[in-house]
Amino acid sequence: MVGIAGGVPSAQADVRLGDVVISQPNSQNGGVVQYDFGKIGLGGCLTRTGFLNAPPTILLSALATFQSSRLTRQSDFSVHLSELISRQEGFSSEKAGLDVLFERDYHHIGEQTCDQCSRDRVVERSSRSRQEPFVHYGTIASGNVVMKDGVTRDSWSKELGGVLCFEMEAAGLMNSFPCLVIRGICDYADSHKNKKWQPYAAATAAACTKDFLSFIPSAKAVMAGINLAPGEDQNGQCLRDLRLTDPRDDKKRIEASKDILLQDCCTWIFQDPNFLGWSDNRDARLLWIKGDPGKGKTMMMIALIDELSKDLKHGSCVLSYFFCQSTNSRLNNAVAVLRGLIYLLVVKQTTLIRHLRKRYDTAGVQLFEGPNTLYALSAILSDMLNDSRLERVYLMVDALDECDSGLLQLLDVIAPRKPEPSSKVKWLVASRNRPDIEERLRPDSFLLKISLELNPSPISSAVNNFIDTKVSELANRKKYDNRLCKEVRSYLSKNAEDTFLWVALVCRELRDVPSWEAQSVLEEFPPGLEPLYDRMMSQIQQGKSERRVQLCKQVLTTVTLAFRPMHLKELAATADLSKIFSSDLRSINELVELSGSFLTVRGDTVYFIHQSAKDYFGTGKGSLKIFSSNQIVKHLEIACRSLKLMSGTLKRDICGLKMPSALLSKVKCINQDPLVHIRYACCYWVDHLHISYLQRDQVRRYSSDQVHKFLKEHFLHWLEALSLMGKMSEGVLMITTLQSMLTPDNHMELYALVCDARRFILSHRLVIEMAPLQVYNSALVFSPVKSIIRDIFSDQIPTWIKSLPMAEKIWSPSLQTLEGHSDLVNAVAFSPDSQFLASGSYDKTVRLWDLATGATVQTLEGHSGSVHAVAFSPDSQLLASGSYDEVRLWDPATGAIVQTLEDVSGPLGKVSFSPDSQLLVSTDRSSTTRLWDTTTGILRGAIEGHSAIFSPDGGQLASISDGKVMLRDSITGLLCRILECHSPWISALAFTPNSHFLACAGYSKIQLWDVTNGVLCRTLEGHSSWIETLFYSLDGKILMSASQDYTIRIWDPTTGVCRGSVDCQSRLVSAATVSPDGRILATPNIMSVGVWDALTGALCNNLAGHSEYITTVAFSPNGQFIGSASADKTVRLWDATTAASPGTGGGDSGLVVELEFSPDSQHLATVSVLDKAIRLWDAKNGALRATLKNHSDLVTTVTFSPDSRILASASRDKTVKLWEARTGACRSSLEGHSSSVNSIDFSPDGQLLASGSSDSRVKLWDPGTGALCATLEGHSRYIRSVVFSRDGRLLASVSDDNTVRLWDPVLKTCLGTLTGPSRMIYNVTFSGDGQFLACNSDNCAVRVWDTKNGACRGTFIQSKHTGAVAFSPDGQLLACAVYDNTVILRNIRTGGVVQVLPAVGRIHKLSFSSDGSHLKTNRGLLELWRASSSGDQPLSNTLCYLYVEEDWVTWKTKKVLRLPPDYRPRCLAVQENIIAFAHASGQVVILEFRPSIMTREYDTEC
């Protein structure tokens, strides 16, 4: 429990303001004592009775370790405190003033401050040696009386055995909620008490608590009884998840696999001027060592690591390193490099783990997986390197050229475009001579370079030393004499060409040669690596059978063309060796060994011995020696063999997950053995096929037939396998690549199948990625009726679904739903190359999405408030995001913060870059426009006005000020021209693409100006309100204007003629956008996107899908995509081309707000808001029977008669209508109310219908004849609800006058009035016998009344509002569906909680089954446990039968069907084995299930 308290300074405890006190038990109490609790005895003396509980053991154990960490100065308390104060300036101690302690008997004089108090009565105290607040441990006094007297304070403290502080909260909780109490000292509990120190005291308590929490073991470890050191289990698990490899082990492995490292081989570099300049010059942050293959770069890096390790000061300097290796998939990518560097940094400096834990505690192991990992790790590394505790950090990366994935992004981390001067980080990297690396690592004052080719003398000397050592080894091993040693040494020296690798390979060969033959064999080794490789290849071909030679070639060709190192089983399968070697790893390994010294096997994975060996076969002379035909043909063979392999292996549930709900994130052990030999084939068959497609047409036709057959038989199996391997994003790219290879002319059927497959995987990627087996359930069930994939695999659709939903016939324009934000998304922007989309949200983050796969590339965190604007720079090098108080510039490649631009007043309306990306304009809502230099972050100027834009040529900046347009030179900021627009307010500006003209708009008019001479060319009129947005087409021939009159007008700017208009009927017309070619308009329209023909103004489509209102829309620069952001926390990506085709978007059929099943489950009625309609559906097959539109205003509610024959509807049009449930024919219209009818209910026998209206009256009707039976009056305000008791003898009406009236429906008289609380009563329900009535109100209270005498039997306060209440059949229990997604069962007699059903979702309809064993809800059936004999104890819940839990359909707690975004319900109803739900778009989905089959398939798993 964290808060503030009044301190008790004493000789024993020097408690001061801002210090922290932590409760600690002693022999007398549990750490907290209640000082005002007890009995008053003789003389008025207080005798304290009872005691308070001590904190749990786990907290006390953590406290002991926390105290120890404070003593050894390993605490992060001060770090957390400084971070908090930096974010909240008002919490600093400077704001609090002086720490003054007065004598205990000196009373306060004056008002709020102590200005009038005598300084002579101040207690003198010595100053402290350090500024950090002290932490005290001991007794805390708690009570209900405020302590404001120094004498009493000290007296009670002495009486209680010495306390450290007084507070007023802990005593009320310690016995019911045992905890540790942590208090920041804000005063001295005397009469001088004031609030100045409260913020700082709260901050110190919070910072101390954050530090303390890191020492508490996880709940899992505690439950298991594992005695972990506090904090070790979280940190340890974090490190285990981070560790891909330990670079220290890699270093040992390399040292063991290479020849013995000679100190003399590398000592020369320590005297190299560039090395010394890098080592000694603080500004030199990067040293690059480059050289050709075999020059000993890795040996040199090892020597440098050893040397630098000797010089590091313990604690203040840290060295981390990584060895890249192209032939090892765990060492050949940028993510692996960063994981290795971070791992070693944390191992060597454990306090750095807090930077890692910030993200890990939220994301878990997924932080290190997926497409955004590189950027997240870059940000974590940046945080670590900026840690104030580090004085110097050395980061070393060997073999940069062998980083096959993410090299450019890694180079951005190593050598940022805008390096920080005097950085404490020093990078040392090594690589081959490669142009792409050379381009990024150009020498300057920050970057130094050592070229091994330009240092022939020291390299030659080092190689000769190496030769001496190797010859000595051979002499000892093979018994060389002096003459032979001299001959060998001489030959090696003459032919080595300063290449260590050549020497090592030759000496390796000589180890197997007798000494008498050594000289003759030696002379066969040619100089240079490539000739040496030629000889090694010749040896493979000699002395072996033709079959062995062919097998060796198969191995070498496959490994050469492979896109990554292969497992032995993968190699055997892909090289077509399975028939010979089966799965015998030993035999496969022997074959690899026969392939000469080119290959090596580590951990059952095959690697080239050196990158130069792979180059030899891939692009060198070795290619002709192993490839019988060109490599393209071999690629085709691998592709076709991969298809065959997968076809023979893939099947449904290949790894035995069994349950369709099996989530990869939850399943700990998955048997992936069936996938081992086909993993490579699954991931790379398209890549090989793509290369082979450069061949002749007949080759294409042959492979196309195989591809077609594979997709038709195994497409879903393949997606399941990709999900199990974590490769779904790669699968999206593979299908996209496959589609690009085909044309409808030559491969019509296959092309159509692949296009459909791409839409299938894009639409369902997230659910398949999460739960692989949902590819057969959710993905198939919710694909369009005419989907080719759904049709081909229709036999895979679960048989327990009796009737499939009436899904769309074809794929909608909605390509993907991007999920990840946790709050409203209100800004989107496409990158200039249309590859990425950025989104800003109220969750204070910016997300970057890959448009090709829909995956999150990175999440940018750091804003302190909602993000209101995002924009890419035209050169794609920067991403700007604006929040309430700042603009941040990010590097979109790494996710690193480049600049933070402050001095912003209020939330930003817009940010935009100049065409050259050198300047940024930000506009806040205080009508101030600021101009920033993106390179330096310096504010170039502030301009009054609410809008400013750059001209397309970047030469001018136009801003609005007092009805004028100010034209400035964008470079100098000098005012060039003022355009007098003769309008009191200008609301919008737009330049023509050629920058010659400017359009400015205000109220109803647009003015076109020639900016070269300041002449007004034309005025366009036609709007009837303010014009909010202007935009030109790319060719400048069309000008569009969006106005508050809800229209968009299309103008010919040359003639001033209005060519058309669009009637949007949307208040968000200002968020309209136009396609780059000016042909399509997109407008947000509540929960849909309107797509219009910009030339004609005709509506092409209404793109429905969002479940909350849309905040903004944007076109991609290439015009292919429309992005829309919404309050539903998602971003949707739409196909702009399809969206522009009429009739493909679905549209709004009406926002459904209510679903109602008939009692016999044959009919379903839905109520739509937007079109004021009621729709009748066949509940069994989902067919729409009738659309009822007779009401002239919104329908408020509907209900069926008990016999299911009549549907009654109430409306704001003051009427109640009765309909034939089977046909939808209107039977009668009941008129008589003078205001909106809000509630209706049939009597249990169906003979009466009650209606409640805003006219404060209740009317009773005969549903058979439509005649009015009675009007019940008495309420003074509108009626909210009317309800019959189950026996029909009572009718209750709920009114906004805060009363419930009970009526006799037969006698038509009022039996009584129940007066509710002062807050609104929403609805009521009767107990089965009518004896009790329960009502819920908006103050989170539920009241139970006795209907006979009107007495209140109990009031139950819930944590949140209650959506529905229900009585058990015996009237003993009351169920309350609370809006915190729980259902609480209470004993009506005692009020005690009998059972709690957590996490059941939002429920607004609730009733008990007839036997009281279940609860019927609008989400399904909940099974209840019987109350225990021990009393009213809360019990856990079990979901039973069909239930909709969040976005899953469950069967007896087992998740069986995931609901995709387009089908997640805004409202839903479940009755028996039928689920009906309505999406925000108005789409109604009805699913009927077969319980018998579900029982057979899943009950054995329960």
Side-chain angles (χ1 to χ4, degrees):
M1 182 188 296
V2 187
I4 55 178
V8 183
S10 65
Q12 293 74 32
D14 182 21
V15 177
R16 300 194 185 186
L17 300 185
D19 284 356
V20 177
V21 174
I22 302 179
S23 63
Q24 187 174 46
N26 55 40
S27 59
Q28 304 297 322
N29 57 64
V32 177
V33 60
Q34 187 168 355
Y35 59 86
D36 59 354
F37 180 75
K39 298 179 180 179
I40 301 296
L42 295 175
C45 295
L46 175 68
T47 302
R48 293 178 182 83
T49 60
F51 59 90
L52 299 176
N53 287 338
T57 303
I58 182 176
L59 296 182
L60 294 179
S61 299
L63 181 60
T65 308
F66 174 75
Q67 288 178 265
S68 176
S69 75
R70 296 280 300 161
L71 292 174
T72 56
R73 302 290 179 88
Q74 295 178 355
S75 167
D76 286 334
F77 177 20
S78 59
V79 176
H80 297 319
L81 181 60
S82 61
E83 289 178 348
L84 191 156
I85 293 175
S86 66
R87 295 195 303 267
Q88 301 289 341
E89 187 177 345
F91 285 80
S92 67
S93 58
E94 287 76 9
K95 297 285 185 179
L98 297 175
D99 178 2
V100 179
L101 171 64
F102 289 94
E103 296 174 357
R104 64 177 183 171
D105 57 352
Y106 178 67
H107 296 290
H108 176 69
I109 300 173
E111 300 295 330
Q112 297 294 325
T113 68
C114 290
D115 293 342
Q116 300 181 36
C117 295
S118 173
R119 299 291 117 176
D120 295 336
R121 304 299 298 272
V122 173
V123 178
E124 295 293 336
R125 294 176 292 178
S126 60
S127 60
R128 286 178 169 176
S129 59
R130 54 191 177 95
Q131 297 300 315
E132 180 181 320
F134 281 26
V135 179
H136 308 270
Y137 312 90
T139 304
I140 294 177
S142 181
N144 297 315
V145 178
V146 179
M147 181 63 66
K148 294 185 64 175
D149 180 74
V151 175
T152 306
R153 173 198 68 199
D154 291 351
S155 174
W156 282 26
S157 174
K158 181 179 180 181
E159 186 177 339
L160 294 169
V163 300
L164 296 173
C165 65
F166 285 85
E167 58 92 73
M168 298 180 62
E169 293 176 343
L173 280 180
M174 287 300 291
N175 281 339
S176 58
F177 183 71
C179 58
L180 198 71
V181 181
I182 301 177
R183 293 294 188 219
I185 302 303
C186 64
D187 58 59
Y188 290 116
D190 55 14
S191 59
H192 303 276
K193 180 190 291 280
N194 62 62
K195 298 182 179 180
K196 285 186 176 182
W197 278 83
Q198 288 184 3
Y200 181 68
T204 59
C208 182
T209 303
K210 185 174 182 180
D211 190 23
F212 173 76
L213 289 175
S214 66
F215 293 87
I216 301 176
S218 66
K220 182 177 180 180
V222 174
M223 292 176 65
I226 302 173
N227 295 320
L228 297 174
E232 186 277 333
D233 57 332
Q234 300 105 318
N235 292 344
Q237 187 60 49
C238 178
L239 275 181
R240 285 189 288 273
D241 289 340
L242 168 69
R243 184 186 183 277
L244 191 62
T245 184
D246 189 329
R248 295 170 298 182
D249 296 336
D250 292 328
K251 179 174 177 286
K252 294 176 183 177
R253 172 180 53 78
I254 293 170
E255 289 175 306
S257 63
K258 290 183 178 289
D259 294 283
I260 298 174
L261 183 66
L262 301 178
Q263 188 68 26
D264 292 342
C265 294
C266 304
T267 52
W268 66 270
I269 197 171
F270 302 127
Q271 304 303 319
D272 184 271
N274 285 309
F275 176 80
L276 293 175
W278 171 80
S279 177
D280 299 337
N281 186 349
R282 182 174 178 82
D283 290 338
R285 60 185 309 274
L286 174 60
L287 176 64
W288 175 32
I289 301 173
K290 70 190 191 87
D292 290 335
K295 294 294 186 180
K297 297 183 293 296
T298 298
M299 296 170 66
M300 193 173 298
M301 290 292 281
I302 291 175
L304 288 167
I305 290 170
D306 292 340
E307 186 66 23
L308 289 173
S309 298
K310 298 176 185 177
D311 298 335
L312 295 182
K313 297 178 181 178
H314 178 70
S316 60
C317 296
V318 182
L319 167 66
S320 184
Y321 51 84
F322 191 86
F323 295 91
C324 294
Q325 194 169 337
S326 176
T327 53
N328 189 331
S329 59
R330 298 165 68 88
L331 304 174
N332 67 354
N333 57 83
V335 169
V337 174
L338 294 182
R339 288 176 71 168
L341 292 175
I342 292 172
Y343 176 80
L344 205 51
L345 280 174
V346 172
V347 168
K348 294 189 174 184
Q349 185 65 270
T350 56
T351 57
L352 294 177
I353 199 170
R354 64 192 184 89
H355 301 291
L356 181 61
R357 288 283 301 276
K358 285 178 184 178
R359 292 177 180 246
Y360 177 82
D361 290 348
T362 301
V365 70
Q366 292 182 355
L367 175 64
F368 313 123
E369 302 169 353
N372 60 330
T373 302
L374 176 61
Y375 308 100
L377 293 175
S378 300
I380 292 170
L381 179 61
S382 177
D383 290 343
M384 289 183 174
L385 300 182
N386 289 317
D387 192 291
S388 59
R389 303 184 186 193
L390 297 181
E391 293 181 8
R392 174 60 55 86
V393 183
Y394 292 98
L395 299 176
M396 303 175 64
V397 182
D398 180 49
L400 268 179
D401 54 286
E402 298 191 39
C403 179
D404 297 336
S405 174
L407 175 60
L408 294 180
Q409 290 89 339
L410 180 59
L411 289 172
D412 283 335
V413 175
I414 296 172
R417 294 176 176 85
K418 299 173 183 177
E420 297 180 8
S422 303
S423 172
K424 62 184 176 184
V425 181
K426 285 188 174 291
W427 287 87
L428 199 161
V429 299
S431 78
R432 291 193 197 182
N433 295 298
R434 270 187 28 181
D436 55 341
I437 299 178
E438 183 86 40
E439 182 179 351
R440 286 292 287 112
L441 301 182
R442 297 184 183 278
D444 56 24
S445 60
F446 298 104
L447 191 158
L448 300 175
K449 178 171 65 175
I450 297 177
S451 175
L452 300 183
E453 282 71 31
L454 298 180
N455 289 271
S457 179
I459 296 297
S460 178
S461 176
V463 171
N464 285 329
N465 288 335
F466 184 63
I467 291 173
D468 289 342
T469 301
K470 299 307 294 180
V471 172
S472 296
E473 290 177 359
L474 286 170
N476 292 330
R477 181 185 182 116
K478 310 300 292 186
K479 308 301 181 185
Y480 288 0
D481 56 28
N482 291 336
R483 182 196 61 81
L484 183 57
C485 286
K486 185 177 180 181
E487 292 293 336
V488 172
R489 183 179 294 110
S490 175
Y491 187 87
L492 293 177
S493 181
K494 290 178 182 178
N495 294 277
E497 297 180 353
D498 295 342
T499 303
F500 288 95
L501 179 61
W502 186 89
V503 175
L505 289 173
V506 170
C507 291
R508 181 179 299 180
E509 294 290 326
L510 290 176
R511 286 187 307 183
D512 299 325
V513 176
S515 60
W516 57 268
E517 195 180 7
Q519 187 168 352
S520 60
V521 171
L522 178 65
E523 292 173 355
E524 296 177 7
F525 293 114
L529 275 178
E530 187 167 284
L532 179 61
Y533 287 152
D534 287 340
R535 181 187 182 280
M536 292 165 58
M537 190 63 213
S538 298
Q539 285 186 311
I540 293 176
Q541 296 173 317
Q542 295 173 1
K544 297 183 177 70
S545 66
E546 185 177 341
R547 185 186 184 200
R548 283 192 176 186
V549 173
Q550 186 58 37
L551 290 176
C552 288
K553 287 184 177 181
Q554 284 180 241
V555 169
L556 288 170
T557 56
T558 303
V559 176
T560 299
L561 296 182
F563 292 96
R564 64 160 172 79
M566 286 181 158
H567 189 277
L568 286 170
K569 289 185 177 181
E570 290 177 328
L571 175 60
T574 309
D576 199 21
L577 305 173
S578 300
K579 294 179 181 178
I580 303 173
F581 297 99
S582 183
S583 59
D584 182 5
L585 293 182
R586 184 178 58 82
S587 299
I588 304 171
N589 192 33
E590 289 176 356
L591 178 61
V592 172
E593 290 178 353
L594 287 175
S595 303
S597 299
F598 291 108
L599 303 177
T600 184
V601 178
R602 293 194 300 271
D604 294 336
T605 299
V606 182
Y607 303 92
F608 272 106
I609 192 70
H610 193 267
Q611 182 64 31
S612 59
K614 182 171 185 178
D615 296 340
Y616 170 74
F617 289 115
T619 58
K621 291 170 60 178
S623 175
L624 299 175
K625 299 179 183 296
I626 63 173
F627 292 104
S628 56
S629 56
N630 64 44
Q631 293 185 16
I632 293 177
V633 173
K634 189 64 180 180
H635 277 292
L636 177 63
E637 291 178 10
I638 294 177
C640 294
R641 193 175 298 128
S642 297
L643 290 171
K644 184 178 179 180
L645 278 173
M646 292 187 293
S647 297
T649 305
L650 293 174
K651 62 179 182 178
R652 181 167 178 163
D653 196 12
I654 189 171
C655 291
L657 298 179
K658 296 183 180 180
M659 286 301 297
S661 62
L663 304 179
L664 290 184
S665 60
K666 302 295 184 182
V667 180
K668 294 182 179 179
C669 298
I670 299 177
N671 177 25
Q672 295 212 5
D673 288 347
L675 294 173
V676 172
H677 68 292
I678 62 167
R679 289 179 71 94
Y680 183 85
C682 287
C683 295
Y684 294 99
W685 67 272
V686 172
D687 296 280
H688 289 288
L689 189 67
H690 189 214
I691 295 175
S692 71
Y693 253 56
L694 301 174
Q695 278 293 299
R696 302 181 302 275
D697 287 342
Q698 56 263 37
V699 174
R700 296 183 184 180
R701 284 195 295 270
Y702 169 73
S703 57
S704 297
D705 291 341
Q706 285 190 289
V707 172
H708 198 180
K709 184 176 186 295
F710 170 74
L711 293 178
K712 289 177 67 175
E713 294 177 357
H714 297 289
F715 177 65
L716 297 188
H717 302 150
W718 177 57
L719 293 186
E720 179 195 336
L722 289 177
S723 175
L724 290 164
M725 293 185 287
K727 300 293 183 181
M728 280 299 295
S729 292
E730 288 82 347
V732 175
L733 296 176
M734 291 166 70
I735 287 295
T736 303
T737 300
L738 189 59
Q739 181 179 339
S740 70
M741 295 158 50
L742 304 171
T743 63
D745 297 332
N746 298 330
H747 314 88
M748 182 177 297
E749 189 175 352
L750 176 58
Y751 180 78
L753 173 59
V754 172
C755 288
D756 191 78
R758 179 173 175 269
R759 291 303 308 272
F760 186 92
I761 192 173
L762 280 175
S763 297
H764 304 297
R765 177 186 65 87
L766 282 177
V767 66
I768 301 172
E769 202 168 51
M770 178 190 306
L773 298 185
Q774 284 298 307
V775 69
Y776 309 103
N777 291 11
S778 175
L780 282 178
V781 169
F782 296 108
S783 289
V785 174
K786 293 187 178 181
S787 164
I788 299 173
I789 295 297
R790 171 167 157 163
D791 180 61
I792 291 175
F793 295 98
S794 58
D795 61 332
Q796 298 291 312
I797 295 175
T799 55
W800 38 262
I801 299 180
K802 186 175 183 180
S803 62
L804 293 172
M806 301 293 286
E808 296 175 333
K809 291 185 178 180
I810 62 174
W811 292 106
S812 76
S814 177
L815 293 173
Q816 300 182 73
T817 301
L818 310 180
E819 299 182 88
H821 283 295
S822 59
D823 208 333
L824 178 149
V825 186
N826 58 351
V828 293
F830 287 92
S831 62
D833 59 5
S834 300
Q835 299 298 308
F836 301 98
L837 180 140
S839 57
S841 167
Y842 273 21
D843 65 9
K844 306 177 185 178
T845 69
V846 176
R847 282 185 175 255
L848 196 63
W849 312 85
D850 185 330
L851 296 185
T853 64
T856 302
V857 176
Q858 57 181 301
T859 301
L860 309 179
E861 299 174 320
H863 281 293
S864 59
S866 305
V867 180
H868 292 272
V870 290
F872 281 94
S873 61
D875 62 4
S876 299
Q877 300 302 307
L878 294 173
L879 172 66
S881 58
S883 64
Y884 276 96
D885 54 0
E886 65 181 10
V887 177
R888 290 193 173 219
L889 298 181
W890 312 82
D891 184 333
T894 65
I897 296 177
V898 178
Q899 299 285 355
T900 299
L901 315 178
E902 297 178 340
D903 190 27
V904 178
S905 302
L908 289 173
K910 185 180 180 182
V911 291
S912 60
F913 287 89
S914 61
D916 62 3
S917 304
Q918 297 301 306
L919 299 173
L920 177 82
V921 162
S922 65
T923 306
D924 60 40
R925 295 181 186 175
S926 66
S927 296
T928 301
T929 297
R930 290 172 172 82
L931 186 64
W932 309 86
D933 186 309
T934 59
T935 303
T936 63
I938 295 173
L939 178 64
R940 295 275 291 270
I943 307 167
E944 289 193 13
H946 59 85
S947 181
I949 61 171
F950 288 102
S951 60
D953 62 7
Q956 298 186 79
L957 176 69
S959 61
I960 301 170
S961 177
D962 297 328
K964 302 174 184 177
V965 176
M966 321 298 284
L967 293 176
R968 288 180 168 84
D969 185 294
S970 60
I971 298 177
T972 65
L974 296 176
L975 184 63
C976 302
R977 194 177 303 278
I978 300 176
L979 306 181
E980 299 282 353
C981 294
H982 308 293
S983 173
W985 183 263
I986 303 172
S987 51
L989 296 173
F991 276 101
T992 55
N994 62 11
S995 303
H996 294 167
F997 299 93
L998 176 72
C1000 58
Y1003 186 85
S1004 75
K1005 296 180 181 180
I1006 304 168
Q1007 293 182 336
L1008 303 182
W1009 295 82
D1010 185 328
V1011 295
T1012 59
N1013 54 30
V1015 174
L1016 176 63
C1017 303
R1018 186 167 286 102
T1019 300
L1020 312 180
E1021 300 186 45
H1023 285 293
S1024 60
S1025 187
W1026 288 101
I1027 299 166
E1028 296 191 334
T1029 308
L1030 294 170
F1031 28 77
Y1032 277 96
S1033 61
L1034 283 181
D1035 59 7
K1037 294 181 179 180
I1038 297 175
L1039 172 67
M1040 298 175 212
S1041 55
S1043 169
Q1044 289 182 5
D1045 62 11
Y1046 306 150
T1047 66
I1048 297 176
R1049 289 184 172 263
I1050 302 140
W1051 310 86
D1052 183 329
T1054 305
T1055 64
V1057 174
C1058 181
R1059 298 172 55 174
S1061 64
V1062 172
D1063 187 3
C1064 298
Q1065 292 302 312
S1066 171
R1067 296 184 181 275
L1068 290 174
V1069 67
S1070 62
T1073 186
V1074 65
S1075 62
D1077 62 4
R1079 302 179 64 86
I1080 307 172
L1081 273 170
T1083 61
N1085 181 26
I1086 307 179
M1087 286 178 284
S1088 65
V1089 177
V1091 180
W1092 312 78
D1093 187 318
L1095 302 181
T1096 65
L1099 177 66
C1100 300
N1101 251 312
N1102 224 9
L1103 308 178
H1106 284 292
S1107 59
E1108 296 289 348
Y1109 66 89
I1110 295 171
T1111 57
T1112 187
V1113 292
F1115 274 95
S1116 62
N1118 63 7
Q1120 294 181 9
F1121 306 112
I1122 300 173
S1124 59
S1126 168
D1128 65 7
K1129 309 174 188 177
T1130 70
V1131 176
R1132 281 190 175 246
L1133 201 63
W1134 312 85
D1135 185 311
T1137 304
T1138 309
S1141 303
T1144 57
D1148 287 325
S1149 60
L1151 176 62
V1152 176
V1153 293
E1154 185 177 2
L1155 299 98
E1156 185 75 21
F1157 277 106
S1158 62
D1160 63 3
S1161 302
Q1162 297 299 309
H1163 318 297
L1164 175 73
T1166 62
V1167 177
S1168 301
V1169 172
L1170 298 182
D1171 59 2
K1172 308 170 187 177
I1174 303 166
R1175 287 174 173 81
L1176 273 173
W1177 310 80
D1178 187 313
K1180 296 296 183 181
N1181 59 29
L1184 178 63
R1185 287 181 177 168
T1187 300
L1188 317 178
K1189 289 191 174 182
N1190 289 24
H1191 283 292
S1192 60
D1193 206 338
L1194 296 179
V1195 177
T1196 55
T1197 187
V1198 294
T1199 187
F1200 283 95
S1201 61
D1203 61 5
S1204 301
R1205 297 174 60 185
I1206 301 174
L1207 173 70
S1209 61
S1211 170
R1212 288 186 183 178
D1213 66 6
K1214 310 174 188 178
T1215 69
V1216 176
K1217 296 189 184 297
L1218 302 179
W1219 316 81
E1220 288 288 347
R1222 186 174 60 84
T1223 64
C1226 184
R1227 293 177 48 143
S1228 56
S1229 180
L1230 313 182
E1231 301 178 2
H1233 283 294
S1234 59
S1235 189
S1236 170
V1237 182
N1238 305 319
S1239 178
I1240 51 178
D1241 191 32
F1242 280 98
S1243 61
D1245 59 6
Q1247 298 303 305
L1248 288 175
L1249 176 70
S1251 61
S1253 168
S1254 293
D1255 62 10
S1256 73
R1257 296 178 177 85
V1258 177
K1259 291 184 179 290
L1260 296 177
W1261 312 84
D1262 184 332
T1265 64
L1268 176 64
C1269 300
T1271 298
L1272 310 179
E1273 300 184 1
H1275 285 295
S1276 60
R1277 299 193 66 181
Y1278 66 86
I1279 308 295
R1280 288 181 174 273
S1281 175
V1282 290
V1283 179
F1284 279 99
S1285 61
R1286 296 186 190 178
D1287 58 9
R1289 299 173 61 182
L1290 295 174
L1291 173 69
S1293 58
V1294 179
S1295 170
D1296 197 45
D1297 62 10
N1298 296 328
T1299 66
V1300 178
R1301 286 183 175 257
L1302 297 177
W1303 310 86
D1304 186 322
V1306 178
L1307 301 177
K1308 285 75 176 180
T1309 57
C1310 180
L1311 301 177
T1313 301
L1314 310 178
T1315 302
S1318 60
R1319 307 298 294 269
M1320 296 180 184
I1321 302 173
Y1322 284 116
N1323 49 52
V1324 296
T1325 187
F1326 285 96
S1327 60
D1329 58 6
Q1331 179 181 354
F1332 299 113
L1333 179 78
C1335 68
N1336 59 302
S1337 59
D1338 67 351
N1339 64 345
C1340 304
V1342 175
R1343 289 197 174 197
V1344 178
W1345 308 84
D1346 189 315
T1347 59
K1348 294 182 178 180
N1349 56 28
C1352 178
R1353 295 293 300 269
T1355 300
F1356 310 125
I1357 305 299
Q1358 315 292 356
S1359 61
K1360 288 189 176 181
H1361 295 305
T1362 301
V1365 292
F1367 286 95
S1368 60
D1370 60 6
Q1372 299 300 308
L1373 300 177
L1374 180 70
C1376 304
V1378 187
Y1379 278 0
D1380 60 3
N1381 294 336
T1382 64
V1383 174
I1384 299 176
L1385 268 69
R1386 292 183 180 272
N1387 185 305
I1388 295 177
R1389 178 177 55 82
T1390 66
V1393 175
V1394 175
Q1395 189 170 347
V1396 178
L1397 285 70
V1400 295
R1402 184 69 63 88
I1403 293 173
H1404 63 266
K1405 288 188 177 181
L1406 192 65
S1407 64
F1408 278 83
S1409 60
S1410 58
D1411 62 358
S1413 62
H1414 297 82
L1415 279 174
K1416 298 178 180 179
T1417 77
N1418 59 293
R1419 306 186 77 92
L1421 208 60
L1422 290 171
E1423 185 178 36
L1424 303 177
W1425 288 10
R1426 296 181 180 180
S1428 65
S1429 58
S1430 61
D1432 295 338
Q1433 297 294 324
L1435 303 172
S1436 62
N1437 71 303
T1438 302
L1439 301 181
C1440 182
Y1441 306 112
L1442 283 178
Y1443 196 87
V1444 180
E1445 182 183 358
E1446 296 180 348
D1447 46 10
W1448 283 90
V1449 175
T1450 65
W1451 170 260
K1452 294 187 177 180
T1453 74
K1454 300 295 180 181
K1455 296 175 179 177
V1456 295
L1457 187 66
R1458 172 71 184 252
L1459 302 176
D1462 283 347
Y1463 291 87
R1464 290 176 192 167
R1466 187 177 179 88
C1467 57
L1468 63 95
V1470 179
Q1471 187 153 316
E1472 297 178 354
N1473 62 327
I1474 303 174
I1475 297 177
F1477 48 84
H1479 188 257
S1481 66
Q1483 183 179 18
V1484 175
V1485 176
I1486 301 173
L1487 285 167
E1488 185 176 7
F1489 297 83
R1490 292 188 173 99
S1492 59
I1493 297 178
M1494 299 182 82
T1495 299
R1496 185 168 62 249
E1497 289 193 16
Y1498 299 126
D1499 278 12
T1500 56
E1501 302 294 331
C1502 292

